[in-house]
Amino acid sequence: MDTEFRQANEKDVASFEKPDRSKLFRNVIVVTCMDPRVNPYDQLGLKTGQAITIRNAGGSAKEALRSIIVAQHFIGADGEIAVFHHTDCGMSRTTTDEVRHIVKKANPGRDDIAATVDAIEFHHITDIEGSVKSDVKYLAENPLLLQGTKVSGWVYDVETGEISQVAEAVAAESTVGTQA
Amino acid sequence: MDTEFRQANEKDVASFEKPDRSKLFRNVIVVTCMDPRVNPYDQLGLKTGQAITIRNAGGSAKEALRSIIVAQHFIGADGEIAVFHHTDCGMSRTTTDEVRHIVKKANPGRDDIAATVDAIEFHHITDIEGSVKSDVKYLAENPLLLQGTKVSGWVYDVETGEISQVAEAVAAESTVGTQA
């Protein structure tokens, strides 16, 4: 990607404006999937400088915890945490056992690889709405989150581009509800 | 963010076009920081549908490993992995010990919180270019990466918007070099 990245970056640099955090920082942490179809900037109307964005396979809040602690306790991002999972997610089409099996089958006789992959929890998703609620609950009940943090949970529909909220809770209150 | 997200999403949905993966998927995995000033779409010229994007505090390749395994072995993303760290990163202004200290100091007498935060490795960064090279080496030497995967390492300058490549390696060859 050297050439593509460099050429695109040169264009972007030509109109570069340093984000003014005092103006732009909307104090929201977005946790979402790595999937190419997901683009929180376009889909949530966020501009550069406005949100802390954490992305991983599935949009796992558990894996995001380290980053959230840094964002809250060190960077001072004490606003809402919005967790997005999406329809047709790869993590809902597989399981931890299946990923381990695929990797091991591709590497026969490699006990080192088998041991390493067996030690990884892949955070697969059984049901999208359920996984969002479970992640919101996990964060809201986590003693490491700043008390009073609002945690919202959303589903992004890759077929229509629409978002819908399915959960909301406040850290240390552990109340996870479903919105209409 | 309910109202803001909903209103912005409604606008986006009005012009929604389902990304055609056969056309758009550029088969690149971008690993970068959660920092609000970083926006890989604008800064690297990527459109929705073109890249798998993994983001966490610092852009840690170690934390990204689970997602990379899923992307390569399950989703079939066998193209380049581009690791970006950036200047003025929060993770370069702190250390694992300091984050643990801040959290514990804010929660006196909470042994549960102390134990949990002490168990988390925060992957702080001592030197940006060094951390990129170290992450590229980590991935290229990792037996779980598909053989032949190109791994590139980059620094994004938040003052100018410019990217510069500082490392490149091929998985299973473990050759990490510095580009001029």
Side-chain angles (χ1 to χ4, degrees):
Chain A
M1 303 303 294
D2 310 15
T3 314
E4 292 94 324
F5 280 174
R6 278 183 220 281
Q7 285 175 350
N9 182 247
E10 273 174 31
K11 273 192 202 169
D12 190 58
V13 167
S15 61
F16 180 75
E17 284 180 51
K18 206 177 147 187
D20 179 349
R21 291 184 72 153
S22 65
K23 269 193 192 165
L24 293 176
F25 190 52
R26 280 165 73 181
N27 202 12
V28 59
I29 299 173
V30 173
V31 179
T32 192
C33 187
M34 67 179 179
D35 192 286
R37 296 166 292 181
V38 172
N39 177 342
Y41 297 94
D42 290 351
Q43 291 152 7
L44 306 177
L46 294 166
K47 291 193 176 64
T48 307
Q50 293 190 325
I52 287 171
T53 311
I54 302 167
R55 301 185 65 169
N56 61 48
S60 163
K62 288 186 186 70
E63 191 171 281
L65 184 63
R66 174 188 70 93
S67 298
I68 291 172
I69 294 169
V70 170
Q72 288 199 325
H73 291 271
F74 185 70
I75 299 177
D78 57 358
E80 180 173 342
I81 301 172
V83 178
F84 286 80
H85 295 176
H86 66 91
T87 59
D88 192 41
C89 183
M91 295 314 293
S92 70
R93 285 182 274 109
T94 190
T95 62
T96 290
D97 283 347
E98 194 194 7
V99 176
R100 288 175 182 162
H101 177 72
I102 289 170
V103 174
K104 287 190 273 191
K105 205 176 143 196
N107 296 279
R110 290 290 303 266
D111 293 345
D112 57 334
I113 291 179
T116 308
V117 82
D118 277 342
I120 300 175
E121 166 54 53
F122 281 92
H123 301 302
H124 68 272
I125 289 172
T126 314
D127 135 64
I128 299 289
E129 198 171 312
S131 75
V132 172
K133 288 180 184 170
S134 162
D135 269 11
V136 167
K137 189 169 185 289
Y138 166 79
L139 289 178
E141 289 179 352
N142 197 301
L144 284 163
L145 245 70
L146 289 183
Q147 273 200 6
T149 304
K150 181 177 166 188
V151 187
S152 57
W154 306 74
V155 172
Y156 174 73
D157 187 327
V158 296
E159 292 293 322
T160 64
E162 286 171 302
I163 58 169
S164 51
Q165 189 173 358
V166 297
E168 186 174 315
V170 176
E173 292 189 6
S174 313
T175 49
V176 179
T178 305
Q179 293 218 345
Chain B
M1 305 299 297
D2 309 18
T3 315
E4 291 95 322
F5 279 173
R6 278 182 221 279
Q7 286 174 348
N9 182 247
E10 272 173 33
K11 272 193 203 171
D12 190 57
V13 167
S15 61
F16 179 74
E17 284 179 50
K18 204 177 149 188
D20 179 347
R21 288 184 74 153
S22 65
K23 270 193 193 164
L24 292 176
F25 189 54
R26 278 166 72 181
N27 202 11
V28 60
I29 299 172
V30 173
V31 178
T32 191
C33 186
M34 67 180 180
D35 192 287
R37 296 165 292 180
V38 172
N39 176 342
Y41 297 95
D42 290 352
Q43 290 150 7
L44 306 177
L46 294 166
K47 291 194 176 62
T48 308
Q50 293 191 325
I52 287 171
T53 311
I54 303 167
R55 301 185 65 169
N56 61 49
S60 164
K62 288 187 186 70
E63 190 171 281
L65 184 64
R66 174 188 70 92
S67 299
I68 291 172
I69 294 169
V70 171
Q72 289 200 325
H73 291 271
F74 186 70
I75 300 176
D78 57 359
E80 181 172 340
I81 300 172
V83 179
F84 285 81
H85 294 175
H86 66 91
T87 59
D88 192 41
C89 183
M91 296 312 294
S92 70
R93 283 182 275 112
T94 189
T95 62
T96 290
D97 283 346
E98 193 194 8
V99 177
R100 288 175 182 161
H101 177 73
I102 290 169
V103 174
K104 287 190 274 192
K105 203 175 144 197
N107 296 281
R110 289 292 301 267
D111 293 344
D112 57 335
I113 291 180
T116 309
V117 82
D118 277 343
I120 299 175
E121 166 54 53
F122 281 92
H123 301 304
H124 68 271
I125 289 172
T126 314
D127 136 62
I128 299 290
E129 199 173 311
S131 75
V132 173
K133 288 180 186 172
S134 161
D135 268 11
V136 167
K137 189 168 186 285
Y138 165 79
L139 290 178
E141 290 179 352
N142 197 300
L144 285 162
L145 244 71
L146 290 183
Q147 275 199 6
T149 304
K150 182 177 165 186
V151 187
S152 56
W154 306 73
V155 171
Y156 174 72
D157 187 327
V158 296
E159 291 293 322
T160 64
E162 287 171 302
I163 57 169
S164 51
Q165 189 173 359
V166 297
E168 187 174 315
V170 175
E173 293 190 4
S174 311
T175 49
V176 179
T178 306
Q179 293 219 346

